[in-house]
Amino acid sequence: KLDVLQSSHADALQLVDVDSRQAPDFVIKVGGASVGKGAQANLMLVDNRAGTLLWSGEFSEPSGRQADLRQQMAYSAAKVLDCAVQALSAKNEKIKLATLKLYLNGCANLSDLLAQDPRAAVAIFAKVAEQAPKFEGAWKKLLLAEIQILRGPGGNEPSVRQNLRNRVAQARRLYPDIAEAFLGDAGLLAPRPVADWMKVVQQPLAKEPDNPDILPYHSLAQSNVGQMEEAQADTRRAVESDPLSPSARDALITAMLNNGQIEAARNELEKSEHLWPGATNVLQARFAIEFRVGDAARAMAILKSGQLGPRFTPTSTQESAAHLGYLKARI
């Protein structure tokens, strides 16, 4: 799967065969085992020049869905490798090994942390920024985590907003033009008047037009004001910048559906199925298409299969009846 990453990062990444005469900077080692009905695996990233273990991760899938396990491993490997290259090529800061390992652990789990526990992400990257204050990569991820707290439950609490203001000010003292700081400004503004709010939202993307962490925020802002073509273009660029990201591809399919481009959404789904065959998020995207505009009978079969995961599965009798009633009416 990392070959997909190389295609979009050819200037920064070159994969070499294990028997190549060219000595690689990094080596990724993989191991796995079956445990009952489940599966376990581990990854290690080694600095080949120093012979140092930089990061290791353990992965498990109790249900035995190896497609999901492969997806987790490939995406984690891609993010860790990307972060390692950034950290070891940082211009202003020589990062100690312990700090680098902490940073890479945060990178590997960043997507899950932002979705489930952004405060834990803040703790990790705040410590990295404290130990390596001139490392811009740590500040970028720290600001993203603070912004995610603002967007979650309790985000309107004065302490949460003040924490973000403080982080933005700290980051700007070192990096006046850091794109994530402008994203923080946008989060702190009231969403009205729309014209002023949109100007601030657009600033971080003007700094880094292909930043896959910023594009989803800009896409959401565009769709909130009805600029559906522009929102879809943002999600397309996010996929091109981060081609292994399941969430980026899901967002593109959703944007296409919202924009009424059904066949384009189906074509994009086929690409996701080719990249991640059998993965749960691909089944969820299939369900979303069939549920809204596609084959209602197929959507019902997927819903009853129990394979969608908690996010897409009704949690009460009333919700289940509503979903099934809607599908029956469409049929």
Side-chain angles (χ1 to χ4, degrees):
K1 300 301 180 184
L2 292 178
D3 189 52
V4 176
L5 184 68
Q6 177 177 285
S7 66
S8 63
H9 295 74
D11 57 335
L13 175 68
Q14 179 184 0
L15 299 179
V16 297
D17 187 82
V18 67
D19 297 323
S20 172
R21 293 181 179 180
Q22 180 180 352
D25 297 310
F26 302 100
V27 173
I28 294 177
K29 298 184 177 182
V30 187
S34 296
V35 182
K37 295 183 179 180
Q40 293 182 349
N42 58 73
L43 286 175
M44 292 187 291
L45 179 68
V46 178
D47 183 343
N48 198 44
R49 296 161 298 183
T52 305
L53 177 65
L54 297 178
W55 170 82
S56 64
E58 294 183 353
F59 303 83
S60 63
E61 187 55 52
S63 66
R65 293 183 66 91
Q66 291 194 19
D68 289 348
L69 189 65
R70 292 190 187 98
Q71 184 184 72
Q72 294 170 29
M73 293 174 67
Y75 191 56
S76 294
K79 300 310 292 182
V80 167
L81 189 59
D82 186 43
C83 287
V85 171
Q86 291 177 11
L88 294 176
S89 61
K91 297 179 180 179
N92 301 325
E93 185 82 75
K94 184 173 177 61
I95 303 170
K96 294 180 179 179
L97 182 59
T99 305
L100 176 59
K101 288 184 176 182
L102 179 63
Y103 177 67
L104 295 182
N105 278 327
C107 284
N109 300 310
L110 183 58
S111 295
D112 288 340
L113 288 174
L114 291 181
Q116 300 171 14
D117 190 5
R119 295 179 189 277
V122 166
I124 291 172
F125 294 111
K127 191 171 183 178
V128 174
E130 179 183 347
Q131 296 174 359
K134 295 182 180 180
F135 176 36
E136 186 178 8
W139 286 102
K140 283 175 161 295
K141 291 173 177 57
L142 177 55
L143 288 175
L144 287 175
E146 292 281 14
I147 292 167
Q148 193 63 22
I149 292 176
L150 186 76
R151 290 162 56 89
N156 287 324
E157 292 291 331
S159 61
V160 171
R161 300 177 68 82
Q162 189 58 48
N163 283 342
L164 178 55
R165 289 192 188 94
N166 293 341
R167 296 293 190 194
V168 166
Q170 289 174 332
R172 278 203 169 113
R173 281 196 286 270
L174 291 167
Y175 299 97
D177 293 326
I178 187 169
E180 287 76 5
F182 293 95
L183 197 62
D185 292 340
L188 290 167
L189 282 178
R192 302 291 186 270
V194 169
D196 294 338
W197 179 66
M198 286 298 295
K199 287 179 183 178
V200 178
V201 172
Q202 290 164 356
Q203 284 180 305
L205 207 60
K207 302 292 180 183
E208 297 183 22
D210 297 315
N211 187 322
D213 294 321
I214 292 175
L215 282 163
Y217 289 93
H218 193 256
S219 174
L220 179 62
Q222 299 279 21
S223 63
N224 282 345
V225 295
Q227 295 180 324
M228 309 310 291
E229 291 285 349
E230 293 83 351
Q232 182 177 318
D234 281 345
T235 56
R236 169 66 70 187
R237 282 162 60 192
V239 169
E240 292 170 351
S241 297
D242 195 4
L244 287 181
S245 170
S247 61
R249 291 183 179 273
D250 293 347
L252 176 56
I253 292 171
T254 300
M256 288 174 168
L257 282 175
N258 292 341
N259 202 22
Q261 297 186 7
I262 310 306
E263 286 307 310
R266 290 190 181 280
N267 291 337
E268 198 60 41
L269 176 63
E270 288 183 7
K271 295 178 184 178
S272 291
E273 289 175 331
H274 178 74
L275 182 62
W276 303 119
T280 299
N281 71 293
V282 176
L283 182 65
Q284 291 170 345
R286 167 70 65 188
F287 174 73
I289 292 175
E290 306 299 1
F291 185 83
R292 290 172 60 174
V293 295
D295 186 337
R298 187 172 184 181
M300 183 176 289
I302 295 173
L303 183 63
K304 290 181 176 180
S305 72
Q307 297 180 356
L308 280 174
R311 180 181 160 210
F312 277 72
T313 302
T315 56
S316 70
T317 303
Q318 291 87 348
E319 285 184 6
S320 180
H323 278 67
L324 292 174
Y326 166 73
L327 290 172
K328 288 177 181 177
R330 284 199 54 219
I331 292 171

